[in-house]
Amino acid sequence: MFTKKLTQIALGVSIALGSTALSTAAFAQTPTPSPLPLPVEQALAPLVFGLPDFTSIVKETENGVVNIRTMAPERRRGSGGFDFGGDDPDEFFRFFFGPDFAPPSPRRNTPRQDRPQRDVPSGIGSGFVISADGYIITNQHVVDGSSKILVTLTNGKEYTATLVGSDKRTDLALLKIEAKDLQPLNMGNSDGLKKGQWVLAIGSPYDLESTVTAGIVSAINRDTGDYLPFVQTDVAINPGNSGGPLIDLQGRVVGVNTQIYTRSGGYMGISFSIPINEALKVVEQLKETGTVQRGRIGVMIGEVQKEVADALGLSDTSGALVSNVEQNSPAEKAGIASGDVITSFNGEKIKKWSDLPRLVGQTKPGVSADIEVWRRGKVESLKITPEAMPSEPGEVQTQPSAEPTVTAEDRLGLTVSALPVAKQTELRIKGGVLVTQVGGVAEQAGLQKDDVILTINNQEIHSVAQYLELVKNLPKDKAAALLVRRANLSQWVTVTPTK
């Protein structure tokens, strides 16, 4: 069937070429139009650029790309299902005609016996060699659940691979085959990728080994994963390409092909690759321990809205806004508080809030790191030591409550009272005022009854009297930034006094 389809395609090409030849011949018989004046002709002449020739790159790299096939235990139906390929031939008919179906002639029905479990083909994918002694990178989803992994080189040699380790979060796996003198690919620098840059992919789409496709980088730093910013391209990637290399014009690997956006199951012009710089950090840990350990600092974060950035005096919306800090977490021990904006981690600027989990996750637990936060109009530098597992929450000690002091509605439309000491202890905060009624611009901004106001324009709230004084002096028609605690989350809310 496949040969027939190829034949049909070849015939289609021949017919198309034939009609083109006829059209060209007919055109040759028409009178040649008089040339345009030279200046006009130059103005209309198209700009011609040289297109890249990938032949030398493919020759240099394709021997380092491998085909991966996996085997897995045969799946069996449960006792309540039907297996039409089973030992009882009448089972098929009983499925449609009911359990009382009787064959037209006597037939001995032999009870189905348990057959020994066997391995069957379960998937295909690609990979590439990173060392001459047999280490290979591929995707985790290519080898997930497999009982046997078969690696085939471009020269036809086949090896049974050992799974050194895999990481589901980044969808990466490291394999090892017992071979020598392999051709490893050269690693590039994915941080230097630019939109519009030519790249190519080599892999085994639909088990067609050593298939080459080319395109350009469409976008960089696509946030489609927890810990990875992906490279988006328009290189044709299909099932079977997973785990193969994304290669630049210098023949260096700049990514690991891993995902496509599709509604049809096949290529639709949008493909994603793991940046090789990020992949190698994961592979290094897989090679050492077989697993990946990630750091955590125990904060809940979100995006910095423009209104909040303006109110806090930030120059832009970069950074990660801290909405909650876990008790006894590395963040709490380092002095990070709700409402802080984390601007850099270990010397790397937090351009988007989603950069922080990636940078923290790449840090080994127990290794100290530098962290900078924006607080009360200035940057503060702190030291933090990420951990692997969350700390056990400590017990909350209750203290006698302070009598609330209720006030009248203020310029923001809020009525507040003092926050009981027991509530402060429960929320692990100091100070703040409790919202007892909401109206006016505060209600329009989304504040609710029982919210706790912790800060106004970088000024921490210690008492009702201080709060009232700050609200009284707020400029009219200028947004004020309120740090509001609701349940276990804190967030900045902008409110603009109109009176």
Side-chain angles (χ1 to χ4, degrees):
M1 179 62 71
F2 184 72
T3 306
K4 182 178 179 182
K5 287 184 178 179
L6 288 179
T7 304
Q8 291 172 342
I9 293 172
L11 288 173
V13 172
S14 299
I15 293 169
L17 290 174
S19 61
T20 302
L22 289 173
S23 300
T24 304
F27 180 78
Q29 296 173 0
T30 60
T32 303
S34 58
L36 292 170
L38 186 59
V40 178
E41 189 173 276
Q42 289 176 343
L44 296 179
L47 295 175
V48 179
F49 295 94
L51 296 176
D53 182 357
F54 297 112
T55 54
S56 60
I57 303 172
V58 174
K59 183 179 179 180
E60 178 186 346
T61 59
E62 71 172 338
N63 290 335
V65 183
V66 303
N67 171 263
I68 296 175
R69 293 179 293 112
T70 59
M71 309 287 285
E74 181 182 18
R75 293 183 178 180
R76 301 244 182 112
R77 294 181 181 270
S79 58
F82 290 91
D83 183 353
F84 299 148
D87 297 325
D88 184 359
D90 294 331
E91 194 169 344
F92 174 83
F93 297 99
R94 284 199 292 269
F95 177 78
F96 289 101
F97 300 111
D100 297 328
F101 169 80
S105 59
R107 183 183 294 158
R108 188 180 68 168
N109 291 328
T110 304
R112 181 184 176 98
Q113 302 293 326
D114 287 335
R115 293 175 297 185
Q117 195 174 52
R118 61 193 180 113
D119 288 341
V120 296
S122 60
I124 57 173
S126 305
F128 57 96
V129 179
I130 61 170
S131 68
D133 59 348
Y135 282 99
I136 294 169
I137 291 178
T138 188
N139 282 148
Q140 188 269 348
H141 75 259
V142 170
V143 298
D144 187 31
S146 62
S147 57
K148 189 176 184 180
I149 304 170
L150 301 174
V151 171
T152 306
L153 307 183
T154 53
N155 59 12
K157 290 185 178 180
E158 185 175 273
Y159 300 85
T160 299
T162 301
L163 179 62
V164 178
S166 64
D167 181 50
K168 190 171 184 178
R169 284 190 178 273
T170 55
D171 195 20
L172 287 168
L174 181 64
L175 309 179
K176 179 71 166 62
I177 60 175
E178 294 305 320
K180 296 181 180 179
D181 301 325
L182 298 179
Q183 181 178 328
L185 298 186
N186 294 322
M187 300 297 107
N189 179 15
S190 54
D191 290 342
L193 286 174
K194 292 180 172 54
K195 288 184 181 181
Q197 176 178 336
W198 281 98
V199 285
L200 61 86
I202 305 178
S204 304
Y206 302 109
D207 210 18
L208 299 171
E209 298 96 335
S210 198
T211 296
V212 182
T213 53
I216 62 170
V217 174
S218 305
I220 54 178
N221 294 326
R222 285 291 190 210
D223 290 322
T224 58
D226 289 340
Y227 289 93
L228 290 174
F230 284 168
V231 178
Q232 179 185 330
T233 72
D234 68 351
V235 179
I237 301 295
N238 283 293
N241 273 114
S242 292
L246 186 72
I247 302 172
D248 65 12
L249 290 185
Q250 284 71 47
R252 302 170 304 192
V253 179
V254 292
V256 183
N257 301 318
T258 185
Q259 293 182 13
I260 59 174
Y261 173 84
T262 180
R263 293 181 179 178
S264 64
Y267 171 72
M268 292 185 66
I270 299 178
S271 308
F272 298 102
S273 303
I274 302 169
I276 193 62
N277 291 14
E278 308 293 337
L280 291 177
K281 294 174 184 176
V282 173
V283 168
E284 183 181 355
Q285 289 198 53
L286 292 178
K287 190 174 182 179
E288 290 178 0
T289 64
T291 60
V292 176
Q293 280 192 319
R294 290 187 173 85
R296 67 182 302 275
I297 59 175
V299 293
M300 294 187 67
I301 58 172
E303 183 181 3
V304 180
Q305 300 292 337
K306 186 179 186 307
E307 297 82 1
V308 173
D310 292 341
L312 295 180
L314 288 165
S315 58
D316 53 39
T317 58
S318 61
L321 177 62
V322 178
S323 60
N324 188 36
V325 179
E326 293 180 11
Q327 187 175 9
N328 295 326
S329 66
E332 185 181 63
K333 295 172 183 177
I336 296 174
S338 297
D340 286 347
V341 177
I342 299 176
T343 56
S344 76
F345 184 86
N346 245 359
E348 293 197 41
K349 183 178 179 181
I350 309 297
K351 298 177 181 178
K352 293 183 293 186
W353 68 274
S354 54
D355 290 340
L356 184 62
R358 174 176 58 86
L359 294 173
V360 174
Q362 292 172 355
T363 306
K364 290 184 179 180
V367 177
S368 178
D370 297 318
I371 190 167
E372 291 185 346
V373 301
W374 180 266
R375 179 185 300 165
R376 289 187 289 274
K378 63 179 181 179
V379 175
E380 293 195 15
S381 299
L382 305 171
K383 286 283 188 181
I384 192 168
T385 303
E387 64 182 6
M389 298 295 293
S391 302
E392 292 294 327
E395 297 182 358
V396 175
Q397 301 294 327
T398 58
Q399 297 181 15
S401 301
E403 290 296 322
T405 304
V406 181
T407 69
E409 181 178 300
D410 58 31
R411 293 176 60 208
L412 303 179
L414 295 173
T415 301
V416 301
S417 68
L419 187 66
V421 176
K423 192 67 174 177
Q424 294 182 35
T425 304
E426 178 185 343
L427 297 176
R428 294 184 289 111
I429 59 177
K430 294 181 179 180
V433 291
L434 180 67
V435 175
T436 57
Q437 293 183 25
V438 185
V441 292
E443 185 176 23
Q444 297 171 14
L447 270 75
Q448 299 177 7
K449 184 177 180 294
D450 295 329
D451 284 346
V452 177
I453 300 176
L454 301 173
T455 305
I456 298 180
N457 284 348
N458 291 319
Q459 294 290 315
E460 294 182 354
I461 306 300
H462 300 293
S463 66
V464 172
Q466 180 207 15
Y467 165 83
L468 292 175
E469 187 67 21
L470 289 173
V471 172
K472 178 182 176 181
N473 295 323
L474 288 175
K476 182 181 177 182
D477 297 327
K478 182 178 179 180
L482 278 64
L483 181 59
V484 178
R485 177 70 173 261
R486 181 177 299 165
N488 291 322
L489 296 177
S490 300
Q491 66 183 51
W492 286 99
V493 178
T494 55
V495 184
T496 305
T498 56
K499 56 182 180 179

